[in-house]
Amino acid sequence: MDEELKDVIKRVADLEQEVASLKRQLADQEVVPERASTMRVATPVKHIEKAATPKQEVPVRVPPTVRKEFNLEKALGTWLPRVFMFILLLGVLWGLKVGMDHGVITNPVRVVLGYAGTFLLYYLGMRYVRGGKKGFGLTLLGGFIGLGMLTTFAAHHLYGYLSFTVAFLLGVVYIVAGLLLSRKMKSETLTLFSGIAGFLLPFLLEGEGATAIQFCAYILLLFLSLFYVSLSQRHKFSFYVTFVLFHLTLFFYAILDGGYDAEGILVTTVLIQHGVILFFYVKGKISRSVFTEGLLYSNFVFTIAWIKLLDHTAEVAVYGLLALAYCGLALYTLWRKDHALRGVLSAVAVFALSVLVLSFDLEDSRVVLMLLLLNGTLGIWVGVRYETLRTIVTGSIVYLFALPAVLIIVQIEQLWSLEHAVWLVLLASMGWLFYTLYRWTPKWLVGKTQRIDGSLIVGQVLVLLYLSQLTMLWLSSVSLAFETAMHVQRFVVLVVLCAMYTLHKWRKGLYVAHSTVILFLILSVSVMLSGLGVSYAYGEFLFNFFVQFAYVALLTMLIGAIMKDRFYVPAKKLKLDISGLAVVMQIIYFIFLNKWYFAFVNMYAWETEYVLFVHTFLLFTFAFLSISIGGKWQWKIVKFIGAGLLIACVLKLFIIDLASISILVRAILFTIVGVVGLIYSRTLLKEEK
């Protein structure tokens, strides 16, 4: 009995494990509750054997997703009433205009018909809404708002039946009615109808218009009302439409109704609108899904454009207040550690400061460039320091706007000048930016500081351009030949490049060292193609020779370091053909040797036969050295070039020299060449043995 009891208990435990496993499978497959409940019924002990048998898994069929078809009738039923209501409003307005022009409809009748139409539209709209046709009813209610506001302002401005106070209060009543209906119905369509009708109102009326203050007050009140409704109901589309219509209405009013005589009123209206939007955005009253930061930038740009209507003094003052306000808000968000807001507001603050700088009536553009450089640097520093990408982008735009202007326009003509100050500000700001990037490396550059290291090349180029301008400034005060002046510049650049090359010892200066080598090679080519200058200036001639010799010596040291694997970059990593480098150096030596030789003989005015005599001897010497060095280092191409040059020297000896020099010089030349050739040949035989 004990053994049977133990066996039953063991089977019950196994069954419980299987039931738990079955529950997990059912939960994963989302089994229907009724079916799952049947699975949870305890199995009697007498059916343990049957329940313990393995169950067969039933595959679960996933119903295919049915794509919802486009309902054309429903879409037309939604949008056609809105379109035709707008068309109806225009038709009624123009019909009334025709009746007015022909005297059929008198002024009192017009006003009565207008108000009667509003009550009719309201009654029908509410009836259709209660009857379940909400879309059509909302369209009629939108017409009720538009027609009521139109009738009220027509009764005041065109016919004078209503005073400004009464008309204004009636307009407020219709606006409030529209807001209440929109909130009650939660309809964006009604908000759009109210907004479009309200903004079109001033242009549908003809006759004696309102003053600029009345017009702007009405437009501002309308915008604020629609602004509130859109935000409270999270209506994104109506919010953007309201924003655009606000600026378009003021723009057309300024053009059609002589708004340029009331620039201050228009700008004040825009500033109030701008301040309201900014206040709600900073306070977090505006949903980010409705009011994106892109609209904040657009609103700022629109405001900047409207401020241009003011005279210069007022313009600068308003720009200054705007920049001060945004800088204060940026500091406030930094103090609150609001990451999202500080990025947006600091970016706009940088832009506002740039606009303020550009608005100054400065006759000297150099001061403007310095301020823009400082402003861009400040923006980038704030963005990097407080990790706000938007501020980095804005500051970079300002900085990159000023940088090309400095490079193209600003030329240092005096040591103590604003041009020199601009270049110093440029270099100092560039250095500070690199320090900022290394000190507070942005997250997207962590582990990728090689990009910052590579950007140091930009600073390197700017330093070379600055020193080049200082060199030109000094050269303008002295009297030197053109070739000598060029060699002075090359010598200065050579000294600076040698100093920059030492940065390869700094782990962040490898890219600068690479750039230094490349620049040195480019300058070496230009030196190779240039002459030594005029023959009458002996001191300048020797200086030019010294500069070219220095370039050749440093080039030899560079190639030698690469060949001996003493370069800061391993030779295997460079993947250079050493024999190819040897050939290149052989050609360079040959060019410089001939150039220097003919420059010297021209300087000292040698006779032709002596020129040919020494030149032939030098060519033989160069050929012998090429063969020997190529054989020692096993550079076959170098040896072949040396052998080819040797053959060319022999041909020159018998074709050119034999016919151009006297018999005395000929005897000396042939004797020396013969003796040297025999000695060298014997040396080659010994090396072969």
Side-chain angles (χ1 to χ4, degrees):
M1 288 294 294
D2 294 337
E3 293 179 358
E4 292 180 359
L5 181 61
K6 291 180 180 179
D7 185 57
V8 170
I9 293 173
K10 181 178 180 181
R11 290 185 179 183
V12 170
D14 295 337
L15 181 60
E16 289 178 352
Q17 292 180 359
E18 186 175 356
V19 170
S21 176
L22 181 60
K23 287 181 179 180
R24 288 194 297 269
Q25 293 179 4
L26 291 174
D28 295 337
Q29 298 177 1
E30 296 182 356
V31 182
V32 182
E34 291 79 3
R35 187 176 178 183
S37 63
T38 60
M39 297 293 183
R40 291 194 292 267
V41 177
T43 306
V45 176
K46 63 181 179 179
H47 295 296
I48 289 177
E49 293 287 340
K50 185 177 179 179
T53 57
K55 69 179 185 65
Q56 297 180 355
E57 295 184 1
V58 180
V60 180
R61 294 183 179 180
V62 180
T65 57
V66 180
R67 185 176 180 181
K68 190 176 181 180
E69 296 183 358
F70 175 71
N71 193 334
L72 179 61
E73 290 78 6
K74 184 177 180 181
L76 292 177
T78 302
W79 287 101
L80 283 181
R82 305 172 185 178
V83 175
F84 287 114
M85 174 53 69
F86 182 71
I87 296 174
L88 176 62
L89 281 175
L90 293 179
V92 171
L93 289 174
W94 287 324
L96 293 174
K97 179 66 169 58
V98 173
M100 297 172 193
D101 292 341
H102 291 80
V104 178
I105 302 176
T106 60
N107 294 342
V109 175
R110 303 172 191 175
V111 176
V112 172
L113 287 177
Y115 284 117
T118 59
F119 286 111
L120 179 62
L121 289 174
Y122 176 78
Y123 169 75
L124 293 176
M126 296 300 297
R127 181 178 179 181
Y128 277 109
V129 170
R130 295 190 186 98
K133 298 179 180 180
K134 186 177 180 180
F136 187 70
L138 291 175
T139 303
L140 296 178
L141 290 175
F144 151 73
I145 301 298
L147 184 59
M149 294 176 63
L150 173 65
T151 304
T152 300
F153 276 87
H156 167 65
H157 290 298
L158 294 180
Y159 316 127
Y161 296 146
L162 301 176
S163 64
F164 174 78
T165 304
V166 175
F168 183 77
L169 292 177
L170 284 175
V172 172
V173 169
Y174 277 105
I175 292 174
V176 172
L179 296 176
L180 294 177
L181 289 173
S182 177
R183 288 179 59 86
K184 182 179 180 180
M185 307 296 178
K186 296 182 179 180
S187 170
E188 189 172 11
T189 303
L190 190 57
T191 307
L192 287 173
F193 264 108
S194 302
I196 294 174
F199 284 116
L200 284 176
L201 172 63
F203 306 106
L204 297 177
L205 298 177
E206 294 181 3
E208 182 183 357
T211 62
I213 296 178
Q214 294 171 348
F215 176 85
C216 291
Y218 161 69
I219 294 298
L220 184 60
L221 177 63
L222 178 62
F223 171 81
L224 294 178
S225 304
L226 296 171
F227 174 75
Y228 169 75
V229 173
S230 299
L231 294 185
S232 61
Q233 301 297 322
R234 295 179 179 270
H235 293 161
K236 184 175 182 179
F237 183 71
S238 61
F239 177 76
Y240 279 86
V241 171
T242 302
F243 175 80
V244 174
L245 288 178
F246 172 80
H247 289 284
L248 285 178
T249 304
L250 292 181
F251 175 73
F252 284 111
Y253 175 77
I255 294 177
L256 300 177
D257 293 343
Y260 288 110
D261 295 334
E263 298 90 347
I265 299 174
L266 290 172
V267 173
T268 303
T269 304
V270 174
L271 288 175
I272 294 174
Q273 179 255 9
H274 182 87
V276 170
I277 291 179
L278 183 61
F279 174 79
F280 278 88
Y281 187 83
V282 172
K283 285 294 184 181
K285 303 296 183 180
I286 304 178
S287 173
R288 297 296 188 266
S289 62
V290 176
F291 190 168
T292 61
E293 63 182 77
L295 187 60
L296 184 65
Y297 301 143
S298 302
N299 189 34
F300 179 77
V301 172
F302 276 113
T303 305
I304 292 299
W306 280 107
I307 295 175
K308 294 297 292 182
L309 293 177
L310 302 174
D311 59 85
H312 182 260
T313 303
E315 175 189 349
V316 174
V318 176
Y319 282 150
L321 292 176
L322 203 61
L324 183 62
Y326 273 103
C327 290
L329 289 174
L331 293 175
Y332 172 71
T333 55
L334 290 175
W335 173 69
R336 287 186 54 190
K337 297 182 180 180
D338 191 334
H339 182 76
L341 276 180
R342 75 185 181 191
V344 177
L345 294 176
S346 58
V348 180
V350 172
F351 188 30
L353 288 173
S354 302
V355 173
L356 175 63
V357 171
L358 293 174
S359 68
F360 290 148
D361 189 14
L362 298 175
E363 297 180 357
D364 200 331
S365 60
R366 298 167 294 185
V367 178
V368 176
L369 289 176
M370 283 191 288
L371 293 175
L372 288 177
L373 288 173
L374 294 174
N375 186 25
T377 305
L378 177 63
I380 297 174
W381 178 81
V382 171
V384 174
R385 177 65 179 82
Y386 296 100
E387 299 179 354
T388 55
L389 181 60
R390 304 167 187 85
T391 315
I392 295 175
V393 173
T394 307
S396 300
I397 292 174
V398 175
Y399 196 87
L400 293 177
F401 173 78
L403 178 60
V406 174
L407 298 178
I408 297 172
I409 300 175
V410 181
Q411 303 294 327
I412 302 177
E413 298 178 354
Q414 293 181 358
L415 185 62
W416 302 102
S417 62
L418 284 176
E419 290 87 355
H420 196 182
V422 172
W423 273 94
L424 291 177
V425 170
L426 174 62
L427 295 177
S429 62
M430 185 68 69
W432 176 255
L433 290 179
F434 285 125
Y435 169 77
T436 301
L437 290 175
Y438 283 118
R439 177 64 177 81
W440 298 285
T441 304
K443 292 181 179 179
W444 63 88
L445 288 177
V446 174
K448 301 178 181 178
T449 54
Q450 295 87 353
R451 297 182 181 180
I452 306 177
D453 300 341
S455 63
L456 289 174
I457 297 175
V458 178
Q460 177 189 26
V461 173
L462 290 178
V463 170
L464 290 174
L465 291 176
Y466 169 71
L467 294 176
S468 177
Q469 289 219 34
L470 291 183
T471 306
M472 292 177 62
L473 177 63
W474 178 78
L475 290 173
S476 63
S477 63
V478 296
S479 178
L480 294 175
F482 175 76
E483 286 290 344
T484 306
M486 294 297 296
H487 279 78
V488 170
Q489 287 189 333
R490 289 164 182 158
F491 179 73
V492 172
V493 173
L494 179 63
V495 174
V496 176
L497 289 179
C498 290
M500 291 179 175
Y501 178 76
T502 59
L503 292 176
H504 73 272
K505 299 178 181 179
W506 180 38
R507 62 185 182 89
K508 300 182 183 300
L510 290 179
Y511 288 95
V512 176
H514 296 340
S515 175
T516 300
V517 173
I518 294 173
L519 290 174
F520 172 74
L521 294 177
I522 294 174
L523 285 173
S524 298
V525 174
S526 68
V527 170
M528 183 175 62
L529 298 177
S530 63
L532 290 177
V534 295
S535 59
Y536 57 83
Y538 183 71
E540 296 181 18
F541 178 84
L542 292 179
F543 174 78
N544 297 343
F545 171 73
F546 168 76
V547 173
Q548 293 196 9
F549 184 82
Y551 268 92
V552 174
L554 290 175
L555 184 61
T556 303
M557 293 173 61
L558 176 64
I559 300 300
I562 295 175
M563 290 179 175
K564 296 179 180 179
D565 204 9
R566 295 179 181 175
F567 194 52
Y568 69 94
V569 179
K572 294 181 179 180
K573 190 174 181 179
L574 291 174
K575 297 180 180 180
L576 296 176
D577 185 9
I578 302 300
S579 61
L581 288 178
V583 172
V584 172
M585 291 303 299
Q586 183 183 23
I587 296 173
I588 292 175
Y589 289 150
F590 182 79
I591 293 174
F592 274 103
L593 178 64
N594 285 275
K595 183 176 68 171
W596 291 343
Y597 172 73
F598 285 110
F600 270 100
V601 297
N602 184 44
M603 179 71 184
Y604 291 98
W606 286 11
E607 295 182 4
T608 304
E609 58 181 358
Y610 295 111
V611 172
L612 295 174
F613 171 81
V614 177
H615 186 246
T616 301
F617 183 76
L618 287 176
L619 291 181
F620 272 108
T621 304
F622 189 85
F624 293 154
L625 289 175
S626 298
I627 295 172
S628 299
I629 295 174
K632 181 178 180 180
W633 293 93
Q634 297 181 356
W635 296 330
K636 293 182 179 181
I637 301 179
V638 175
K639 289 195 299 182
F640 290 153
I641 293 176
L645 181 59
L646 187 62
I647 295 173
C649 291
V650 174
L651 293 176
K652 176 180 178 294
L653 183 66
F654 284 95
I655 296 175
I656 298 177
D657 298 347
L658 190 63
S660 302
I661 59 178
S662 62
I663 189 171
L664 177 61
V665 177
R666 188 187 311 166
I668 298 173
L669 175 61
F670 274 66
T671 301
I672 295 176
V673 170
V675 172
V676 173
L678 289 174
I679 296 173
Y680 183 73
S681 301
R682 184 176 178 83
T683 304
L684 292 177
L685 290 175
K686 289 182 178 180
E687 292 178 355
E688 184 179 356
K689 290 180 181 181

